[in-house]
Amino acid sequence: VAAHFADMSYAPAPESDAEARAWLAGHGATFGHFIDGAFTEPAALFDTFEPATGAPLAKLSGGSVEAVDRAVAAARAAAAGWAGLKGHQRARHLYALSRSIQRHARLFAVLEAIDNGKPLRETRDLDVPLAARHLLHHAGWAQLQESVFDGYRPVGVVGQIIPWNFPLLMLAWKVAPALALGNTVVLKPAEYTSLTALLFAELAAKAGLPKGVLNIVTGDGTTGRHLVDHQGVDKIAFTGSTAVGRDIRERTAGSGKALTLELGGKSPFVVLGDADLDGAVEGVVDAIWFNQGQVCCAGSRLLVAESIAEAFKARLLRRMQTLRLGPPLDKTVDMGAIVDPVQLERITTLVETGADGAPVHHAGVTLPEGGSWYPPTLITEVSPAAPVATDEIFGPVAVMMTFRTPQEAVQLANHTRYGLSASVWSETIGEALAVAAQLHAGVVWVNGTNLFDAAVGFGGKKESGFGREGGKEGCYAYLTPIAWDGPVREALTPPAGSAEGVDLSPIDRTAKLYIGGKQARPDGNYSRTVVNPQGVAIGEVGEGNRKDIRNAVAAARAATGWAAATTHNRAQILYYIAENLSVRADEFAHRLTAMTGASDDAAGAEVESAIQFLFTHAAFADKWDGAVHSPPLRGLAL
């Protein structure tokens, strides 16, 4: 059967690239940055290439400190005017941007395929429509902002850095919520794939988007670091590798910048013993050979029940032979080219050195000449500790392991430092959901994979990042609460016999840790002195160590009753805490003054803000199942 499929011939069905080439020629295939509504003079040029052929495609400008400064200044200058628009006014702009993508859908699809190397079928049928969908969806949130997000304001100037695997779609994921909610943007696309971002910016200006609201600065990682470090940026939103995400978090620590990270993954694809094998095989095609495997949530770890492993492997190997590689503008191909020779070398090296002797199966396909190509690949009998099983390959390579019981499958699936997504396949939905509920992943699909929609939040856990993109929950990443500026409520009269103010007598009042619902002495029995701004000791607190943190995390993890409690019950507890804080407001204010040196009025306002925060969220808890429609519970928060 495999030989039969291998001998099948295909008639190519190429898509014309004339319009895309004409757009490039109209700019002399040379581009500056897009700042304050117009292209800058090209400078510090570098070449970008067609992945399918290796031929030069365009020259782009490197992003200097001066270019980033100009872009941030333009975004800052436009911020007040853009945020000052009514929500429905910003919505009209986003509707216009979405319609602009739809009107130029074929141009975007062809240009993306040329620039990225992915098949036109994917850019035409997924990337472009979903990009337009994100803009339409977030236009709705802009329309509703005053009512739904009352009490929040835009973050300000947002620096966004996107990867090369979904250039236009990642732009829409980032830009749509930022603009919808009143922020201005400086976006840095990947140096390999900047062209659709520049086309989008050009069309946005023609569609009437105000100058400075959207700015595009091209360049390599150095440009990204300039943007991350810029003091005029209020938030960084990054999608890319875990290593770079870790560096960005270190760079932004203590800066006051808001941060969201969507990073790498090594997603499990769990096939239980009663799964529909043919359906699961097609799921693998979508999970790992879609976009040449260059997908952060690719289902690259196949965990298959031992009872069906041989049958599943045979069908999957046979299916691999039917995949066709070829020029991305050929509408009949299934896989295109790897984005760049550097990425191709990474894939090749990891497969050659990281399989640890496991059998490597390459599809029997003929690779096109020129460009960067890698065949669909399956590695079987893989050890869970092998590098190909633990490290993100980011290419069309799946590794296969087996398990005997669903619980073993869960353990194997969670045996990773990543936590972006997972997929479970079973004909017994109850069992599939039971397994899915135990997986440590931000997104879990059942009998499906790589299913996205603008209305559904997407994001990871562990080393796959934090924050969500899409849906209502993704909107909060681009908003910040408005500080309470109402009247300060008078504190309730303290009960008779209570001490007025804070007792700073020499009595030992060392504060213990609070773990598992009770006070606990620190494991090391150490304490540390708290001093006021003048250096005078005002108290002692326990000095926690790593074991104390483990105990606290274990206690939080074991507190399943809190999530299971009714929303009304949680609200009542928050109300109770708020009322108790009200009774002791003066005491807390005096403690704040003693520790920080703040004035009595400032300390009182701080305590009042805390009280209002508790009361507000008690109200939200009480309405969780009703009008609030808040994001789902996330579990343990550190």
Side-chain angles (χ1 to χ4, degrees):
V1 175
H4 167 74
F5 281 115
D7 289 340
M8 290 180 64
S9 60
Y10 293 82
E15 176 70 31
S16 172
D17 60 356
E19 187 178 1
R21 301 289 181 183
W23 179 77
L24 291 168
H27 289 274
T30 305
F31 296 86
H33 309 295
F34 194 90
I35 298 175
D36 205 23
F39 283 106
T40 65
E41 284 295 320
L45 296 175
F46 64 94
D47 290 321
T48 182
F49 300 88
E50 293 184 43
T53 64
L57 182 59
K59 294 182 181 295
L60 304 175
S61 294
S64 62
V65 173
E66 293 74 19
V68 174
D69 282 343
R70 285 184 59 189
V72 173
R76 180 65 64 190
W82 181 249
L85 295 178
K86 295 292 186 181
H88 73 88
Q89 293 173 305
R90 288 197 300 274
R92 292 178 64 180
H93 282 289
L94 266 73
Y95 281 126
L97 294 179
S98 179
R99 288 195 297 270
S100 184
I101 288 181
Q102 292 170 333
R103 287 198 305 270
H104 298 87
R106 190 53 57 93
L107 172 59
F108 274 110
V110 172
L111 186 63
E112 192 83 305
I114 295 172
D115 196 24
N116 174 272
K118 64 172 66 181
L120 179 75
R121 285 168 51 190
E122 294 179 8
T123 63
R124 179 195 64 198
D125 299 339
L126 176 74
D127 294 27
V128 174
L130 192 50
R133 161 74 174 145
H134 270 268
L135 289 161
L136 282 172
H137 176 81
H138 287 91
W141 286 124
Q143 186 87 22
L144 299 172
Q145 182 173 358
E146 285 88 352
S147 58
V148 175
F149 300 114
D150 184 35
Y152 289 85
R153 62 170 177 82
V155 173
V157 174
V158 179
Q160 300 179 326
I161 303 172
I162 60 175
W164 42 258
N165 55 341
F166 291 94
L168 179 65
L169 183 54
M170 289 294 101
L171 176 147
W173 276 33
K174 293 284 191 293
V175 167
L179 297 190
L181 299 166
N183 303 277
T184 55
V185 169
V186 179
L187 181 138
K188 191 203 87 68
E191 65 268 33
Y192 298 148
T193 55
S194 300
L195 295 179
T196 49
L198 295 172
L199 172 60
F200 178 83
E202 182 181 67
L203 294 177
K206 293 179 180 179
L209 189 69
K211 294 180 179 180
V213 171
L214 173 64
N215 306 275
I216 309 291
V217 179
T218 55
D220 59 12
T222 303
T223 307
R225 286 190 288 273
H226 294 332
L227 185 58
V228 169
D229 295 340
H230 201 288
Q231 294 183 355
V233 173
D234 300 304
K235 171 187 168 63
I236 294 294
F238 172 78
T239 295
S241 71
T242 296
V244 176
R246 187 179 294 112
D247 178 67
I248 290 174
R249 185 160 194 177
E250 291 174 357
R251 286 176 173 272
T252 57
S255 67
K257 291 185 177 75
L259 178 66
T260 49
L261 300 172
E262 196 258 284
L263 307 177
K266 193 71 177 177
S267 299
F269 187 101
V270 182
V271 185
L272 300 178
D274 67 339
D276 175 357
L277 294 191
D278 289 328
V281 165
E282 290 305 312
V284 173
V285 174
D286 290 335
I288 189 59
W289 295 314
F290 162 66
N291 200 30
Q292 298 73 252
Q294 299 170 138
V295 183
C296 51
C297 55
S300 54
R301 289 189 300 143
L302 309 183
L303 310 180
V304 184
E306 195 173 89
S307 60
I308 61 170
E310 287 303 315
F312 184 82
K313 181 177 74 172
R315 297 189 191 201
L316 188 56
L317 290 173
R318 183 178 66 190
R319 180 67 175 92
M320 282 171 53
Q321 310 309 317
T322 68
L323 297 175
R324 188 184 184 207
L325 276 70
L329 293 184
D330 184 348
K331 294 188 284 288
T332 67
V333 303
D334 301 300
M335 281 179 51
I338 303 300
V339 71
D340 187 82
V342 173
Q343 180 62 19
L344 177 62
E345 177 63 24
R346 289 174 183 161
I347 297 168
T348 304
T349 299
L350 188 51
V351 172
E352 291 178 350
T353 63
D356 285 353
V360 178
H361 309 272
H362 296 298
V365 296
T366 301
L367 299 181
E369 296 182 2
S372 303
W373 302 89
Y374 197 85
T377 299
L378 176 66
I379 307 177
T380 56
E381 304 172 32
V382 174
S383 164
V388 291
T390 60
D391 298 344
E392 186 178 33
I393 300 175
F394 221 66
V397 181
V399 300
M400 181 173 165
M401 294 167 275
T402 61
F403 62 85
R404 294 183 179 180
T405 66
Q407 194 55 44
E408 185 182 352
V410 170
Q411 292 173 350
L412 279 172
N414 291 338
H415 181 66
T416 175
R417 63 184 184 273
Y418 297 108
L420 188 55
S421 65
S423 182
V424 182
W425 294 75
S426 172
E427 289 292 273
T428 305
I429 297 302
E431 186 171 14
L433 293 176
V435 170
Q438 301 176 69
L439 300 182
H440 299 166
V443 178
V444 181
W445 294 293
V446 173
N447 291 335
T449 189
N450 284 335
L451 302 175
F452 305 101
D453 188 77
V456 179
F458 180 85
K461 301 173 68 174
K462 300 192 285 188
E463 289 196 17
S464 290
F466 56 85
R468 292 295 179 267
E469 294 182 298
K472 184 180 180 182
E473 55 191 306
C475 291
Y476 288 105
Y478 292 96
L479 295 167
T480 188
I482 298 173
W484 172 256
D485 58 359
V488 177
R489 187 164 52 94
E490 290 185 4
L492 299 178
T493 304
S498 64
E500 183 175 344
V502 181
D503 185 357
L504 297 179
S505 66
I507 299 174
D508 182 5
R509 292 181 179 272
T510 301
K512 300 177 184 178
L513 309 180
Y514 190 80
I515 299 175
K518 60 184 179 181
Q519 295 187 37
R521 295 187 183 276
D523 174 67
N525 278 326
Y526 287 105
S527 64
R528 63 190 307 167
T529 302
V530 178
V531 298
N532 66 12
Q534 289 74 42
V536 178
I538 60 174
E540 299 279 333
V541 295
E543 180 78 29
N545 62 18
R546 299 175 75 176
K547 184 176 180 182
D548 294 312
I549 293 175
R550 289 199 299 270
N551 291 342
V553 171
R557 182 68 68 189
T560 56
W562 180 248
T566 65
T567 55
H568 178 71
N569 189 19
R570 291 200 297 269
Q572 290 301 303
I573 292 172
L574 288 175
Y575 279 125
Y576 180 76
I577 295 172
E579 288 295 344
N580 275 271
L581 182 55
S582 297
V583 171
R584 300 177 63 182
D586 287 344
E587 178 186 351
F588 275 86
H590 284 306
R591 287 187 182 274
L592 286 172
T593 298
M595 289 188 297
T596 67
S599 67
D600 290 341
D601 288 342
E606 184 77 13
V607 175
E608 181 60 29
S609 293
I611 294 169
Q612 292 295 334
F613 194 84
L614 286 163
F615 275 123
T616 298
H617 284 79
F620 274 119
D622 214 6
K623 294 179 173 59
W624 183 281
D625 297 321
V628 174
H629 300 298
S630 294
L633 295 176
R634 290 294 173 201
L636 179 62
L638 299 179

